[in-house]
Amino acid sequence: MKVAVVLADGCEEVEALTPIDVFRRMNIQADMVGLTHQDVMGAHQIALHCDKVVDDSLLEYDCVIFPGGMGGAHALRDNDQLMELMQKRQANGQWNAAMCAAPIAFARYGLLDGHDYTCFPGIDQETKKVAPTGHFKEDITVVDPKGHIITSRGPATAMAYAFCIADTLGLDTKEIKHQMLYDFLKKNI
């Protein structure tokens, strides 16, 4: 089992690092993959160093994960190499995940067509223009098994997103949710 988080300059750092943190705590390979270079500057000026740069090896991951952040999401959206790889992944029935503003990339790639998804409030207006047959939902996380797509809303939902991805991939998250106090948070917020 292995996952990749694809990072571009302007990414939302909490959305990028939360899945990496959760999967690495579970002893699952979680690679930080730079869109065009290994050193990425987040939206809040947090410097991130990636393990590698986007290449055909994205086809080998159990899930490829996109964080939001408008600058990063637009860079992911506009990259034709990444679009081709993500379209191949969906055609192969592999899981892909995007949160916050990043579903705009999935919309351009055609991955949302006919599928359920969520995103940051207001971004749905942009995704509807590009992917009018997609079905926007206001849930914290949305899993569309037919399209092999997992989506989420924004920075505060990053942990729910990471656990949703892990659960969808068939991992047992009960212990890690307890260790990270996620079960306590869900009960008390």
Side-chain angles (χ1 to χ4, degrees):
M1 172 83 50
K2 63 181 181 175
V3 300
V5 177
V6 182
L7 309 176
D9 289 331
C11 67
E12 183 69 51
E13 296 94 340
V14 70
E15 297 170 5
L17 293 176
T18 301
I20 292 293
D21 182 84
V22 166
F23 279 96
R24 288 185 180 180
R25 284 175 191 250
M26 296 180 72
N27 296 312
I28 302 296
Q29 182 179 337
D31 294 335
M32 295 169 62
V33 181
L35 179 61
T36 56
H37 44 275
Q38 281 186 274
D39 291 311
V40 172
M41 183 57 69
H44 303 97
Q45 303 307 301
I46 299 172
L48 304 166
H49 181 74
C50 296
D51 304 302
K52 59 196 275 186
V53 175
V54 166
D55 62 20
D56 288 351
S57 70
L58 280 188
L59 298 172
E60 300 165 10
Y61 288 88
D62 295 284
C63 188
V64 171
I65 302 166
F66 287 11
M70 286 303 286
H74 284 132
L76 298 174
R77 177 195 65 193
D78 297 339
N79 188 286
D80 291 338
Q81 176 193 18
L82 185 58
M83 176 172 66
E84 183 180 321
L85 290 167
M86 297 302 284
Q87 288 169 338
K88 284 180 183 175
R89 288 184 53 78
Q90 189 177 51
N92 292 341
Q94 295 170 289
W95 285 101
N96 300 307
M99 74 173 298
C100 193
I104 62 172
F106 282 16
R108 177 181 178 245
Y109 303 169
L111 304 187
L112 299 182
D113 295 345
H115 299 296
D116 294 340
Y117 71 96
T118 194
C119 58
F120 191 80
I123 297 296
D124 56 299
Q125 298 307 312
E126 188 173 342
T127 58
K128 286 176 188 174
K129 290 177 189 171
V130 182
T133 63
H135 312 289
F136 173 73
K137 309 288 183 190
E138 289 190 354
D139 300 331
I140 292 171
T141 57
V142 173
V143 177
D144 187 304
K146 187 176 67 168
H148 290 90
I149 295 171
I150 304 163
T151 50
S152 190
R153 302 296 308 262
T157 69
M159 192 156 291
Y161 176 62
F163 287 128
C164 181
I165 294 166
D167 290 334
T168 301
L169 294 176
L171 298 170
D172 181 357
T173 59
K174 185 177 180 182
E175 186 176 330
I176 191 74
K177 285 176 181 174
H178 182 69
Q179 290 172 355
M180 294 182 77
L181 298 181
Y182 183 73
D183 54 354
F184 174 80
L185 177 69
K186 277 183 71 173
K187 241 191 271 181
N188 292 288
I189 197 164

